[in-house]
């Protein structure tokens, strides 16, 4: 090592200090030099937030710059050599004063660390930046990186400060709100339990008290008869005593209320209060689950009554309920096939939610489609969840880019193919699986699907509802930026599109004796040929046997 001109080096060791030290130095003949021992504190150090110069032996002054190559910090006086010597200016990078407490050389190439990789958040040398794994990364000089990252931290600090200052997310307000909600649920539950207990105990107590009268009466009669010494009077009394005793013997104190209208009325009241209690207990339990694990537990709030089905096509043997929230089907008349829009009478908000219960026997597709192509989904954009051939898949429509979808935790999406629906649009199907005990396994069919459409974020999320409070996210997909949310509408497709035949005629006989056949569009009376849409002249629904889809 050399100490020449303005150079000063310490000889350091990475090994523990032995009983003696030895080092050998080769020094140029053209340079003056000094080799000696010095105080270990004769180096860079910090005090009161300042870095002090290495070469200020007596009156140390705050450092002006730090030389990364020399690994020293210098005050204004000792910095002059670095500022006036051309070679030092070119080869010795200067930074703001810092306490050099670590190695400034690249462990892989042994070169000076001169750049900062923003992608990997690490200091690198020129070889790392040009030749190795960082060559395509975002590289900055130390000073530039320092400035940019400092600005970033300030912005992040502002965001976090606003979040902590927001009254709506303050810990005190959150705790108060949750305590009030849980407290209300628990109070209602306690009141319901107490009321049910009091009704039961009071009623049974009254009945037992009435039965206790018989026991007391029989006891009094027996005591009176035993005290009677006159034989004639005893025999006259015995008949009544016998009746009182038999009546007392028939008393069962463990028995409930006596049969009758009073008991029936009380049982009905207890059932109503019991159902209310169970519901409140379920709400309390669900609130606790939602508080602890909100990702997988949300209360299943019934879908608003403003949502109804609007049929685009109905296959043979299919019709809607009067409230247009259920779809019926008779499998005898043909395969299940229908396309329905889910419409609302209310103005759309930033979020739209619907829950659909689906038959286990039918294939289905649920999601969003282009309202202009609702009668033929193949002609427009489709974003949805599909159950077909006992497999669950996601469907997304794209133009030229890849599919924009993301799966929930534990589930994976595997591309299974792309079906072109036009010169510009293409619908991609992706099989959804999860990591099971035997490797990748298909996701089982959900019986009840909850769909959440987030307008501002342009996302569509699907959940499998497995209980009143439990749900599991299946997939969340990002809608393409080129798609206008107002052009999309919720839909449900049952079976496979355009599967029913318009030529096959199905027969059905009503219980009133009339025969009907399906002509491909509606039922017709065999005798007169008069068309019937879905109801026989006797008022009975024509050949409808099961619910295949309903809004929950």
């Amino acid at each position: 090592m050399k100490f020449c001109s303005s150079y000063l080096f310490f000889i350091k060791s990475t090994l523990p200090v032995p009983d003696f030290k030895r080092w050998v130095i080769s020094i140029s003949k053209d340079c003056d030099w000094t080799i000696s021992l010095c105080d270990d504190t004769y180096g860079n150090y910090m005090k009161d937030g300042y870095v002090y110069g290495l070469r200020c032996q007596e009156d140390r002054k705050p450092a002006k710059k730090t030389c990364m190559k020399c690994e020293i910090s210098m005050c204004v006086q000792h910095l002059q050599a670095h500022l006036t010597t051309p070679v030092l200016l070119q080869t010795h990078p200067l930074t703001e004063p810092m306490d050099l407490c670590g190695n400034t050389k690249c462990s892989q190439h042994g070169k000076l660390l001169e750049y900062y990789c923003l992608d990997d958040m690490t200091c690198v040398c020129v070889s790392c930046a040009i030749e190795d794994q960082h060559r395509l990364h975002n590289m900055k000089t130390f000073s530039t990186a320092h400035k940019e990252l400092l600005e970033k931290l300030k912005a992040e600090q502002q965001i976090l400060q606003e979040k902590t200052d927001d009254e709506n997310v303050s810990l005190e307000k959150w705790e108060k709100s949750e305590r009030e909600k849980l407290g209300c649920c628990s109070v209602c539950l306690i009141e319901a339990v107490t009321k049910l207990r009091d009704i039961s105990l009071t009623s049974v107590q009254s009945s037992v008290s009435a039965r206790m009268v018989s026991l007391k009466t029989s006891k009094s009669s027996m005591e009176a008869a035993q005290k009677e010494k006159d034989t004639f009077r005893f025999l006259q009394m015995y008949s009544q005593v016998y009746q009182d005793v038999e009546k007392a013997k028939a008393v069962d104190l463990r028995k409930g209320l006596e049969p009758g209208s009073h008991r029936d009325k009380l049982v009905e009241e207890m059932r109503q209060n019991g159902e209310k209690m169970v519901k409140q207990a379920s709400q309390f339990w669900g609130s606790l689950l939602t508080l602890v694990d909100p990702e997988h537990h949300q209360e299943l709030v019934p879908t608003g009554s403003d949502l109804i089905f609007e049929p685009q096509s109905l296959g043979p043997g299919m019709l809607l309920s009067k409230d247009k929230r259920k779809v019926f089907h008779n499998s005898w008349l043909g395969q299940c096939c229908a396309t329905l829009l889910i419409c609302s009478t209310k103005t759309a908000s930033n979020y739209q939610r619907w829950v659909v219960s689906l038959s286990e026997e039918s294939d289905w597709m649920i999601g969003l489609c282009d309202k202009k192509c609702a009668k033929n989904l193949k002609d427009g954009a489709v974003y949805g969840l599909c159950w077909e051939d006992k497999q669950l898949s996601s469907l997304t429509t794209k133009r030229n880019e890849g599919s924009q979808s993301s799966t929930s935790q534990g589930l994976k999406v595997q591309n299974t193919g792309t079906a072109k629906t036009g010169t510009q649009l293409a619908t991609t199907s992706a099989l959804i699986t999860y990591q099971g005990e035997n490797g990748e396994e298909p996701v089982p069919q959900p019986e009840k699907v909850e769909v959440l459409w987030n307008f501002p974020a342009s996302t569509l999320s699907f959940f499998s509802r497995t209980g009143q409070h439990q749900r599991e996210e299946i997939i969340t997909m990002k809608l393409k930026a080129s798609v206008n949310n107002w052009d999309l509408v919720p839909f449900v497709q049952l079976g496979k599109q355009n599967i029913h035949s318009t030529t096959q005629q199905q027969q059905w006989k009503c219980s009133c004796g009339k025969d009907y056949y399906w002509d491909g569009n509606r039922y017709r009376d065999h005798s007169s040929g008069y068309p019937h849409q879905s109801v026989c002249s006797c008022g009975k629904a024509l050949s409808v046997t099961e619910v295949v889809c309903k809004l929950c």
Side-chain angles (χ1 to χ4, degrees), residues 32 48-49 54 89 96 99 118 132 149-150 214 234 243-244 248 258 298 321 352 408 437 450 485 488 512 544:
D32 295 334
D48 300 329
L54 169 70
L89 281 172
E96 295 301 315
D99 183 21
L118 292 177
D132 287 344
L149 294 179
L150 188 61
S214 298
F234 174 81
Q243 294 179 14
D244 293 340
E258 296 295 331
Q298 290 288 338
S321 60
Q352 194 165 348
S408 63
E437 296 180 356
E450 178 180 354
N485 279 345
L488 299 176
C512 68
V544 176

Side-chain angles (χ1 to χ4, degrees), residues 100-170:
L100 295 176
C101 55
N103 197 345
T104 59
K105 301 294 192 302
C106 176
S107 59
Q108 182 177 356
H109 301 102
K111 296 182 179 180
L112 182 67
L113 299 174
E114 299 183 66
Y115 301 98
Y116 188 79
C117 176
L118 292 177
D119 293 340
D120 293 335
M121 293 184 289
T122 184
C123 298
V124 298
C125 69
V126 65
S127 295
C128 292
I130 297 177
E131 300 173 358
D132 287 344
Q133 67 270 24
H134 301 280
R135 65 184 182 277
L136 299 178
H137 292 183
N138 187 9
M139 313 297 299
K140 299 289 182 180
T141 61
F142 284 172
S143 59
T144 303
H146 183 194
K147 182 178 180 181
E148 291 186 4
L149 294 179
L150 188 61
E151 292 297 325
K152 182 179 179 181
L153 283 180
K154 290 181 179 179
E156 297 288 353
Q157 184 182 25
Q158 181 65 26
I159 293 174
L160 293 177
Q161 186 64 37
E162 291 175 357
K163 182 173 288 189
T164 54
D165 292 343
D166 187 355
E167 295 182 356
N168 294 325
V169 294
S170 65

Side-chain angles (χ1 to χ4, degrees), residues 60-346:
R60 292 196 172 181
K61 301 174 182 178
K64 184 67 175 178
K65 293 288 182 180
T66 296
C67 177
M68 298 297 294
K69 190 167 186 179
C70 297
E71 299 184 19
I72 58 174
S73 297
M74 296 167 284
C75 66
V76 176
Q77 178 183 352
H78 294 104
L79 183 63
Q80 294 304 312
H82 276 71
L83 298 177
T84 57
T85 306
V87 176
L88 296 181
L89 281 172
Q90 294 176 4
T91 60
H92 287 231
L94 299 175
T95 68
E96 295 301 315
M98 66 177 67
D99 183 21
L100 295 176
C101 55
N103 197 345
T104 59
K105 301 294 192 302
C106 176
S107 59
Q108 182 177 356
H109 301 102
K111 296 182 179 180
L112 182 67
L113 299 174
E114 299 183 66
Y115 301 98
Y116 188 79
C117 176
L118 292 177
D119 293 340
D120 293 335
M121 293 184 289
T122 184
C123 298
V124 298
C125 69
V126 65
S127 295
C128 292
I130 297 177
E131 300 173 358
D132 287 344
Q133 67 270 24
H134 301 280
R135 65 184 182 277
L136 299 178
H137 292 183
N138 187 9
M139 313 297 299
K140 299 289 182 180
T141 61
F142 284 172
S143 59
T144 303
H146 183 194
K147 182 178 180 181
E148 291 186 4
L149 294 179
L150 188 61
E151 292 297 325
K152 182 179 179 181
L153 283 180
K154 290 181 179 179
E156 297 288 353
Q157 184 182 25
Q158 181 65 26
I159 293 174
L160 293 177
Q161 186 64 37
E162 291 175 357
K163 182 173 288 189
T164 54
D165 292 343
D166 187 355
E167 295 182 356
N168 294 325
V169 294
S170 65
L171 181 61
E172 293 79 6
K173 188 170 183 178
W174 172 84
E175 182 180 6
K176 182 180 179 181
S177 174
E178 292 298 330
R179 284 188 178 275
E180 287 178 354
K181 183 169 62 176
L182 293 173
C184 181
C185 291
S186 59
V187 168
C188 292
L189 177 59
I190 293 172
E191 289 178 352
V193 173
T194 304
K195 185 175 182 180
L196 190 63
R197 179 201 63 190
D198 292 344
I199 291 175
S200 304
L201 290 178
T202 302
S203 301
V204 174
Q205 184 180 14
S206 300
S207 179
V208 171
S209 297
R211 279 174 270 173
M212 289 290 292
V213 173
S214 298
L215 294 175
K216 292 179 181 179
T217 301
S218 64
K219 182 179 179 181
S220 300
S221 298
M222 286 187 295
E223 289 176 352
Q226 291 172 354
K227 292 179 181 180
E228 182 59 52
K229 303 299 183 181
D230 186 277
T231 301
F232 180 73
R233 289 183 179 179
F234 174 81
L235 294 176
Q236 284 184 322
M237 293 172 58
Y238 184 77
S239 176
Q240 183 62 44
V241 173
Y242 175 78
Q243 294 179 14
D244 293 340
V245 171
E246 289 299 318
K247 188 176 181 180
K249 287 168 61 177
V251 170
D252 185 359
L253 296 179
R254 296 170 297 177
K255 187 179 179 182
L257 301 184
E258 296 295 331
S261 59
H262 174 68
R263 186 181 71 175
D264 295 341
K265 182 180 179 180
L266 184 60
V267 167
E268 181 61 29
E269 183 181 357
M270 290 176 63
R271 281 178 178 170
Q272 293 176 358
N273 283 278
E275 291 174 356
K276 183 179 180 180
M277 180 191 68
V278 171
K279 183 178 180 180
Q280 290 169 338
S282 177
Q283 290 177 344
F284 180 66
W285 167 67
S287 297
L288 292 177
L289 287 174
T290 303
L291 177 65
V292 175
D293 184 14
E295 182 179 356
H296 298 98
H297 296 87
Q298 290 288 338
E299 184 178 3
L300 178 56
V301 181
T303 302
S305 58
D306 60 296
L307 292 181
I308 59 173
F309 286 126
E310 183 179 296
Q312 301 299 298
S313 64
L314 285 175
M318 301 190 71
L319 78 158
L320 294 178
S321 60
K322 291 183 178 180
D323 60 3
K324 296 185 178 181
R325 293 174 59 84
K326 296 180 182 178
V327 183
F328 300 92
H329 174 240
N330 185 337
S331 57
W332 181 84
L333 287 174
Q335 290 180 285
C336 179
C337 178
T339 302
L340 312 117
L341 299 184
I342 300 175
C343 302
S344 174
T345 56
K346 295 182 179 179

